[in-house]
Amino acid sequence: VQLQASGGGLVQAGGSLRLSCTVSGRTFSTSTVSWFRQAPGKEREFVAAIRRGYMTHYSSSVKGRFTISRDNTKNTAYLQMNSLKPEDTAVYYCAAGSDRLIVSSLDLEDKYDSWGQGTQVTVSS
């Protein structure tokens, strides 16, 4: 199983970026796909998830600004990030897990069996 994350970069506060996560080696359409991030000196935290039925879930810190989506024909999940803030600066990781993940488990890293390599997002003030 491989997850390839891309789309990171440097953007000014208030700007937008779209991250992509392409998954191979597993049945993408039935997988839960999530994004986590890790800022310097901080623990990795949950950002957003999209489940098999296109149900989405967000952390309170990004709700209303970020949108997670998926294209099952391309085995790819996306994270559209708008109204970016300097505190969004982090390495963003995508992760894939079972379609049986329940809502209360979406933010638990050990529930995911596959991880991408991370992509850097830097938001300047």
Side-chain angles (χ1 to χ4, degrees), residues 11-116:
V11 64
Q12 289 188 330
S16 299
L17 281 174
R18 188 177 80 156
L19 306 183
S20 300
C21 176
T22 300
V23 181
S24 59
R26 68 182 294 152
T27 306
F28 178 80
S29 61
T30 59
S31 298
T32 296
V33 180
S34 295
W35 289 94
F36 289 75
R37 67 186 181 185
Q38 187 168 20
K42 295 187 177 181
E43 293 186 351
R44 189 155 56 183
E45 64 174 0
F46 170 79
V47 175
I50 186 164
R51 294 196 286 168
R52 176 179 184 170
Y54 296 87
M55 295 179 65
T56 58
H57 307 272
Y58 299 92
S59 70
S60 57
S61 61
V62 307
K63 197 168 187 178
R65 299 188 298 122
F66 291 11
T67 302
I68 190 170
S69 61
R70 66 193 301 160
D71 184 341
N72 288 342
T73 67
K74 297 181 179 179
N75 286 0
T76 300
Y78 304 96
L79 186 68
Q80 178 67 44
M81 305 185 294
N82 298 329
S83 302
L84 283 161
K85 305 175 181 180
E87 50 264 43
D88 294 317
T89 295
V91 178
Y92 283 71
Y93 299 89
C94 60
S98 165
D99 63 341
R100 293 184 177 87
L101 281 180
I102 60 177
V103 174
S104 61
S105 298
L106 292 174
D107 62 339
L108 301 177
E109 294 182 38
D110 62 357
K111 298 299 183 182
Y112 295 86
D113 47 62
S114 306
W115 288 82

